[in-house]
Amino acid sequence: MDYKRYIAEKIKIDGVSADEIYSSVTLPPDTQMGDFALPCFKFAKIFRKSPAVIAEELKSAFNIDKVITEVSAVNGYLNFKVNRYEFAKTVISEIENRKDKFGSSVVGNGKTICIDYSSVNIAKPFHIGHLSTTVIGGALYKLFKFLGYNVVGINHLGDYGTQFGKLICAYKHWGNKEEVESGGIHAINDLYVRFNNEADEDMQAEAREYFKLIESGDEEANALFEWFKALTMDYVNAIYKKLNITFDSYAGERFYSDKMQPVIDELEEKRLLETSEGAKIVDLEKFGMPPCLILRSDGASLYATRDLAAAIYRKNTYDFYKCLYVVAYQQNLHFKQVFKVLELMGKDWASDLVHVAYGMVSLEDGAMSTRKGKVVWLEDVISKCIDKAYIIINEKNPDLENKKEIAEKVGLGAVIFGALYNNKIKDIVFSYDKVLSFEGETSVYVQYTCARANSVLSKSMTGGSLPENYEPNTAEFELVKQLAQFPEILAEAADKYEPSYIARFAVDLAQKFNKFYIDCKILAAEDEKSRQFRLSLTSATLQTLKNSLSILGIGVPDKM
Ligand code: ARG
């Protein structure tokens, strides 16, 4: 049962919908006054009365019952106290019944969301800069599925451009099959870097020829391209597997090669295309933006041209409700331009395109540059986290079984959580010590709390069953209230495209559990009723922590 809904439906205010009341009901941090509250300031304008008077009037009209046991009006707030036992029973039994589905919903049924994320560049390093798009996109993917949406995960591969001509040229001059076969993406990247450092005019011209050969369907050039692509995908797929990331489509930039001309024609037809210094552009000056470049003066298409074609293709293919682009804020202008051009083309769905922008990730030593071949590969960050996790776990609990497996879950969790915990738009400095701390606001802390809950439950032998008529104390009740918020947190996270809300919720929940764990004896409780209640509460908490982490793509070891 949704208590906020319950309260909202018991309050009648003329001219204000139950939904509006619902969204105004809050859970005050200080529970002295009440467990739920309705601030009446919003309604003051409508009724031309002070919030205090409105609160008083609403209070008189409110009928308390066995669920809402007390109502008071204080300083413009209407405060409610609930029957703690009834509340706890509803929340805990819902978790017991729904288990790993607790928090899921059907709000998204019948709606499709496309999520463009991770979008790797073929033959280029998959580096720490790709961490956020991969894990934020991955979390949104799971979140929207959990909320009942049909989700299409799209890896908009960077597989188009003159760089592939350069790469083939470099390979022809300096490469050999065995080296590339064994070195994989690293060997390809080395060739590319070497080309950029050493290629002379002749080689540049040759590279342009190779690019044309790829474009015109030349067999050898395309076979090489496909080989480089396969090596890149092998490499990133191994990382995706570790991070629990999946895609439904790998339609990349190249996929749109033959889908750009109709867009250009349409732009022309709609008189949006202008010629400027030989190039074709859409003028966006009126909107305070530089022009959107559609075709270069040599007739070559651009990144934006392919994104226009991709958006139209996605709308036609998936008829999306929303199409999200999880891409760094450096591309803010690009997406503003693309969305604007689509709007000018009369695509009314342009307003359903969302650039989910996020900040930069750097390492503590400042390293992250991809130029000059000085790259921090994501794979190395992941391995280092797993290795460090192993050392820490081994120190803490040397007798633990399956230490390797556990270190893997802990290390991977730390990488993911490290990139997800902050509001996504913030630049973050990734610190191994910080993300692997047992005490901080980390996945390790949450996982450790799960292990603690697990250990209590397995020692209890029987688990708990909800007793009749039990009066929860404050630590217990605070924990129950936190659990009750999970569905709402998920809805908010989806609404703002912020997996960080879920990460924070998990840390808060773990903190509340640990407070409860210290304040209340679980196994050695004062009486059997308390013991049963606390065991049920522990198991509901464990389930909810697991559900939270699972949406983020993080596994939970039984022991730590
Ligand atoms: N591959 C691009 C990059 O690394 C990101 C692609 C994002 N998606 C898109 N539809 N433009 O910058």
Side-chain angles (χ1 to χ4, degrees), residues 137-397:
L140 291 175
Y141 184 88
K142 294 186 185 67
L143 172 61
F144 282 109
K145 278 214 157 157
F146 205 56
L147 299 182
Y149 291 86
N150 173 38
V151 189
V152 185
I154 304 173
N155 199 326
H156 185 75
L157 301 179
D159 53 3
Y160 188 103
T162 48
Q163 73 264 31
F164 298 105
K166 295 179 184 172
L167 189 56
I168 293 179
C169 178
Y171 175 72
K172 289 266 179 186
H173 282 262
W174 306 310
N176 71 68
K177 193 157 189 253
E178 293 69 40
E179 242 172 61
V180 171
E181 206 68 80
S182 65
I185 192 169
H186 294 279
I188 312 176
N189 183 54
D190 288 346
L191 285 171
Y192 184 64
V193 171
R194 183 164 172 196
F195 184 96
N196 283 337
N197 290 335
E198 295 178 26
D200 55 15
E201 251 323 300
D202 290 344
M203 274 181 86
Q204 295 283 0
E206 216 178 291
R208 282 193 290 274
E209 283 311 307
Y210 277 120
F211 176 60
K212 278 192 197 145
L213 283 175
I214 303 178
E215 289 284 276
S216 63
D218 175 80
E219 212 169 291
E220 194 208 356
N222 275 286
L224 283 172
F225 169 79
E226 289 301 333
W227 182 39
F228 298 146
K229 178 170 163 182
L231 290 171
T232 310
M233 292 319 289
D234 282 351
Y235 176 84
V236 290
N237 281 334
I239 295 177
Y240 290 150
K241 196 163 168 217
K242 285 190 176 163
L243 295 175
N244 274 310
I245 298 292
T246 53
F247 297 94
D248 305 290
S249 160
Y250 292 87
E253 295 190 42
R254 208 170 171 217
F255 178 76
Y256 298 100
S257 299
D258 60 352
K259 297 175 183 63
M260 289 184 277
Q261 194 52 49
V263 180
I264 296 162
D265 295 343
E266 190 178 334
L267 285 168
E268 193 100 62
E269 242 165 66
K270 295 188 167 153
R271 303 190 175 283
L272 290 165
L273 217 52
E274 288 173 28
T275 307
S276 162
E277 296 168 29
K280 297 280 185 198
I281 61 155
V282 176
D283 183 21
L284 297 175
E285 205 187 335
K286 261 194 280 181
F287 309 99
M289 285 183 248
C292 184
L293 208 51
I294 305 292
L295 288 176
R296 261 201 289 261
S297 54
D298 63 2
S301 64
L302 289 106
Y303 182 51
T305 327
R306 292 184 284 282
D307 259 329
L308 290 171
I312 294 171
Y313 174 84
R314 288 174 193 173
K315 184 65 194 176
N316 292 339
T317 310
Y318 304 113
D319 192 23
F320 54 71
Y321 157 75
K322 296 265 180 220
C323 177
L324 316 182
Y325 297 82
V326 186
V327 185
Y329 65 62
Q330 279 88 344
Q331 296 193 28
N332 276 356
L333 177 62
H334 165 76
F335 285 107
K336 268 174 82 179
Q337 290 178 310
V338 168
F339 298 171
K340 185 50 99 182
V341 172
L342 289 163
E343 185 192 317
L344 293 173
M345 289 172 85
K347 313 286 180 203
D348 55 1
W349 45 265
S351 54
D352 303 327
L353 305 170
V354 186
H355 176 204
V356 178
Y358 60 82
M360 297 217 294
V361 183
S362 54
L363 289 177
E364 278 173 305
D365 59 6
M368 72 156 297
S369 150
T370 62
R371 249 165 256 138
K372 296 176 193 138
K374 238 194 86 192
V375 190
V376 182
W377 294 75
L378 185 50
E379 178 199 27
D380 297 337
V381 176
I382 291 173
S383 321
K384 199 162 161 186
C385 251
I386 295 175
D387 293 348
K388 281 182 179 266
Y390 186 87
I391 295 171
I392 297 172
I393 288 165
N394 195 32
E395 255 168 33
K396 278 208 175 257
N397 197 349

Side-chain angles (χ1 to χ4, degrees), residues 131 135 242-244 411-421 552-554:
L131 176 59
V135 301
K242 285 190 176 163
L243 295 175
N244 274 310
L412 286 166
V415 175
I416 298 173
F417 209 82
L420 278 182
Y421 188 70
L552 305 179
I554 301 174

Side-chain angles (χ1 to χ4, degrees), residues 34-101:
D35 302 313
F36 292 90
L38 177 71
C40 297
F41 307 94
K42 271 208 334 210
F43 312 121
K45 254 213 199 118
I46 312 177
F47 296 108
R48 298 169 191 267
K49 286 181 194 163
S50 76
V53 170
I54 296 173
E56 277 300 338
E57 289 178 1
L58 290 176
K59 181 196 143 192
S60 312
F62 194 93
N63 293 319
I64 56 174
D65 55 22
K66 84 179 214 314
V67 177
I68 310 294
T69 54
E70 243 182 88
V71 57
S72 60
V74 182
N75 300 330
Y77 283 88
L78 191 60
N79 297 318
F80 308 93
K81 284 216 161 140
V82 303
N83 177 321
R84 286 185 171 185
Y85 175 68
E86 288 299 326
F87 187 81
K89 199 169 82 177
T90 338
V91 174
I92 295 173
S93 19
E94 184 178 348
I95 300 171
E96 278 173 357
N97 292 333
R98 302 198 65 204
K99 301 197 170 64
D100 58 352
K101 300 279 178 309

